[in-house]
Amino acid sequence: EVLEATFNNDEQVDSGVIDLTFDLAAEGEQPGEMSATLTGPFQDQEGGFSQFDIDAEVSFESEQGDFSGSGGLVSTGDRAFVNFQGTDYEVPAQAFQQFARTFTQLQQQNEEQADQAEGTQQLIDSFGELSNEGNEDVDGTETTHISGELDIARFTDSIRTQLEEQQGTDAVPQAQLEQLQSSLDQLTESVKNASLDVYSGTDDDILRKFDLSFEVESGEGDTLTADFSLSLSDVNQPQEIAGPGSAQPLSELLQQFNIDPSSL
């Protein structure tokens, strides 16, 4: 009931602060670790492109070497900026406006076509067992904590059912359907453990935190462990977002990587 109320919630999340982390650890012939984070405020604009100021950090460690870097993306709704390794670059106005128009149109189409209730029920039905862990504080908000183990076979079967409904239509080409079916078979065989934790606001049923962990095994005995966490704070509170005081043209960054600016 908590999951249904959360994922079928009619109340929109129009602003807040996002905190996303993604960690990977590989063991076997090619061991290594990767960590990525995305953090920052966002503010939707009715009829326009969203505002946000997102910082990103990535680190990677392996036998071949280590890497770490930082960057960010800023949108003021009518302008956009990229930060790379501490330097700000402005996206050309024409390229950003074209992207914003296309993104907004696709978003509206997806909202019209999506069957949210059906998708939520399929996700809930994919859990072998669910448990209510009681109330917990998430960034100052009281939430209800629901945990569960994901039944991969049920999960992939629900996706197969959706794919089969697309057969004979123009939505997905037959060759792509067959490829997706094959990928689902591999997913069912390789994912050994998957768990989910959902933290829903006790007063408003708005998602405040979402944790997903799973383990993948290859036929050669290699393993990959993944941990994904998404949290939302200051939900529907006004956010002040502004672009950097000064920025270089994005073309200067693209030239460092031998990318033709006209390809935007």
Side-chain angles (χ1 to χ4, degrees), residues 160-180:
R160 284 192 184 91
T161 300
Q162 296 180 54
L163 292 176
E164 289 170 358
E165 293 174 353
Q166 300 295 327
Q167 288 183 333
T169 70
D170 295 330
V172 183
Q174 183 63 34
Q176 188 175 352
L177 280 172
E178 294 174 356
Q179 186 178 24
L180 290 171

Side-chain angles (χ1 to χ4, degrees), residues 108-127:
Q108 292 172 346
Q109 292 175 11
N110 290 336
E111 289 175 351
E112 293 172 357
Q113 298 171 1
D115 188 346
Q116 186 176 8
E118 180 180 354
T120 299
Q121 193 57 52
Q122 288 176 339
L123 174 62
I124 296 173
D125 291 343
S126 298
F127 284 92

Side-chain angles (χ1 to χ4, degrees), residues 32-236:
E33 295 182 357
M34 189 199 81
S35 177
T37 64
L38 291 173
T39 59
F42 65 93
Q43 176 87 48
D44 283 350
Q45 296 191 106
E46 187 175 354
F49 192 72
S50 297
Q51 297 178 323
F52 51 80
D53 186 353
I54 304 298
D55 293 323
E57 291 188 5
V58 177
S59 63
F60 182 81
E61 298 178 3
S62 71
E63 293 180 339
Q64 287 74 37
D66 301 339
F67 167 83
S68 64
S70 63
L73 287 172
V74 177
S75 164
T76 61
D78 54 1
R79 301 172 69 192
F81 304 85
V82 176
N83 180 282
F84 182 73
Q85 301 289 52
T87 302
D88 293 310
Y89 303 88
E90 182 168 5
V91 177
Q94 184 177 0
F96 173 71
Q97 291 167 5
Q98 181 179 356
F99 168 79
R101 284 195 301 269
T102 303
F103 182 89
T104 302
Q105 292 170 359
L106 291 174
Q107 188 178 44
Q108 292 172 346
Q109 292 175 11
N110 290 336
E111 289 175 351
E112 293 172 357
Q113 298 171 1
D115 188 346
Q116 186 176 8
E118 180 180 354
T120 299
Q121 193 57 52
Q122 288 176 339
L123 174 62
I124 296 173
D125 291 343
S126 298
F127 284 92
E129 186 174 337
L130 289 169
S131 176
N132 189 321
E133 305 293 346
N135 293 349
E136 294 187 28
D137 181 274
V138 176
D139 293 321
T141 298
E142 185 177 276
T143 68
T144 303
H145 176 193
I146 303 297
S147 65
E149 297 294 325
L150 184 64
D151 187 321
I152 298 300
R154 286 190 199 174
F155 179 68
T156 54
D157 284 346
S158 67
I159 299 178
R160 284 192 184 91
T161 300
Q162 296 180 54
L163 292 176
E164 289 170 358
E165 293 174 353
Q166 300 295 327
Q167 288 183 333
T169 70
D170 295 330
V172 183
Q174 183 63 34
Q176 188 175 352
L177 280 172
E178 294 174 356
Q179 186 178 24
L180 290 171
Q181 294 279 16
S182 176
S183 297
L184 288 173
D185 291 338
Q186 295 176 5
L187 183 66
T188 304
E189 295 175 0
S190 59
V191 176
K192 304 304 179 184
N193 299 294
S195 62
L196 177 75
D197 290 89
V198 172
Y199 301 79
S200 176
T202 55
D203 293 333
D204 54 20
D205 295 321
I206 293 178
L207 180 70
R208 290 312 201 282
K209 189 177 181 182
F210 178 94
D211 293 336
L212 174 66
S213 298
F214 59 90
E215 182 178 303
V216 178
E217 273 187 22
S218 71
E220 293 74 28
D222 296 335
T223 62
L224 179 70
T225 303
D227 296 301
F228 172 90
S229 179
L230 168 68
S231 65
L232 294 172
S233 58
D234 293 339
V235 171
N236 290 336

